[in-house]
Amino acid sequence: SFDGCATPLPKGLSRLLKRLRVPVIMIKTSGAFLRDPLYNCLQKRKVPVHADVTCLFSRRETETLDAAEMDKILRDAFTFDNFADQKKSRTAVTEPFRADGLHRILYRCAACGAEGATEGRGTELFCRSCGKKYTLTEYGELSAQDGKTEFSHIPDWYEAERREVRREIENGSYLLDTEVEIGVMRDYKAIYMTGSGRLRHDCGGFTLTDGEGKVLYRQKPQASYSLYADYFWYELGDVICIGDRETLYYCFPKDGSPVAKARLAAEELYKIAKERLCANA
């Protein structure tokens, strides 16, 4: 989770569970995100972590419940908001580095709309373009140091970025075009760094080329409901991973392009592709 909330589940998961005909046990951790959120530069916070174990479905239920009922139970079970839980439980994160890297989620300034100009450092998030500053409180809320607080709740800011990405897709202006370092996995034993290339993501999907401009891989929007993207991946850097059953390509943007925006765009492009498919059915 980038913003502390649930990420999409693949559709059809209930059909898989019914096919397996086994009990389904859920282990849900609490406090893990607050202790080590992806954006915070791998810095651990002093937050207690515990896990709850529950039975979502007995074997009989996987056989007798219909897929729609199971999908609803799965959605409810996998719906969460770590920042809301932090506020409700009054769990204090007192570390002075709690906002480090927050711009990796909140890459678009809520005040002026500039992208790539925000920076999370210490206990502050600020915009280099307009100068707006916010304090990240001990309870995970943002507060503008001067003027209006557009979004005190981090997931609300993230959702506003999603809406902006959707708008860009719909008007045809969305584009990621960046130089990347490329890692390749083919044998599941290691990632082989193969040099530089270029990753382009637009309304037609992903295109990855090598240093000589040769196309290595293309991926259409409908290929995946989400995108594997991560921060500080094995301490190499922020990464976007695309690929198929044969080859995975790990792309590390050299210019700091926000991988969060690419993931939002991939999810919205998938939704649009499916909406069009349903409309034409």
Side-chain angles (χ1 to χ4, degrees):
S1 173
F2 281 180
D3 65 338
C5 294
T7 52
L9 286 176
K11 290 184 177 180
L13 186 56
S14 59
R15 294 196 297 273
L16 171 64
L17 297 177
K18 291 183 73 64
R19 194 179 186 90
L20 293 174
R21 300 175 64 190
V22 293
V24 180
I25 306 301
M26 180 176 184
I27 303 174
K28 184 176 181 179
T29 60
S30 297
F33 178 85
L34 298 181
R35 183 175 185 271
D36 186 20
L38 288 176
Y39 71 81
N40 202 214
C41 311
L42 305 178
Q43 300 174 103
K44 304 294 191 297
R45 292 100 160 271
K46 294 179 181 178
V47 176
V49 179
H50 70 274
D52 296 309
V53 182
T54 56
C55 180
L56 281 186
F57 306 107
S58 66
R59 177 172 180 172
R60 176 175 173 78
E61 286 172 326
T62 60
E63 295 173 349
T64 58
L65 290 175
D66 64 40
E69 290 178 283
M70 292 179 68
D71 281 338
K72 183 180 186 308
I73 292 170
L74 286 167
R75 281 195 304 272
D76 292 344
F78 281 87
T79 297
F80 55 85
D81 184 334
N82 283 283
F83 284 108
D85 291 344
Q86 179 187 4
K87 180 181 177 181
K88 183 178 180 180
S89 65
R90 302 300 287 173
T91 301
V93 175
T94 60
E95 281 76 8
F97 52 75
R98 59 181 174 267
D100 284 3
L102 188 55
H103 56 277
R104 284 177 160 78
I105 306 173
L106 309 181
Y107 59 84
R108 185 177 190 273
C109 178
C112 71
E115 291 193 3
T118 54
E119 183 175 349
R121 188 194 308 160
T123 60
E124 295 182 340
L125 177 75
F126 57 92
C127 176
R128 293 187 298 272
S129 179
C130 69
K132 189 76 177 274
K133 289 185 178 182
Y134 306 84
T135 298
L136 180 62
T137 72
E138 294 181 354
Y139 299 107
E141 292 188 286
L142 289 168
S143 177
Q145 295 181 11
D146 185 30
K148 176 185 177 182
T149 299
E150 292 83 2
F151 302 102
S152 61
H153 190 48
I154 288 173
D156 289 344
W157 190 326
Y158 189 67
E159 279 304 303
E161 292 174 332
R162 181 186 294 277
R163 291 193 295 271
E164 177 61 22
V165 169
R166 177 85 179 212
R167 186 191 67 80
E168 290 180 12
I169 292 170
E170 289 175 343
N171 67 28
S173 65
Y174 170 73
L175 176 65
L176 167 72
D177 190 5
T178 180
E179 189 177 2
V180 294
E181 288 290 336
I182 303 172
V184 177
M185 176 186 282
R186 283 186 176 153
D187 56 15
Y188 299 98
K189 295 179 181 178
I191 303 293
Y192 303 93
M193 301 306 295
T194 60
S196 297
R198 196 153 201 91
L199 181 66
R200 180 183 175 92
H201 189 210
D202 55 26
C203 296
F206 286 100
T207 302
L208 178 64
T209 55
D210 63 16
E212 298 178 353
K214 178 184 176 183
V215 175
L216 298 174
Y217 180 72
R218 285 194 174 96
Q219 182 168 298
K220 294 182 178 180
Q222 57 268 38
S224 178
Y225 63 93
S226 188
L227 174 69
Y228 176 32
D230 204 351
Y231 304 134
F232 308 109
W233 193 79
Y234 284 89
E235 301 185 36
L236 294 175
D238 296 357
V239 68
I240 293 170
C241 181
I242 55 177
D244 53 26
R245 295 180 181 181
E246 301 298 324
T247 307
L248 292 177
Y249 297 95
Y250 293 80
C251 307
F252 300 87
K254 292 184 176 183
D255 63 356
S257 293
V259 302
K261 183 175 184 179
R263 184 158 100 173
L264 289 172
E267 292 172 357
E268 294 307 304
L269 283 165
Y270 177 84
K271 292 176 188 176
I272 291 171
K274 289 299 180 180
E275 288 165 6
R276 288 173 179 169
L277 184 63
C278 291
N280 294 330

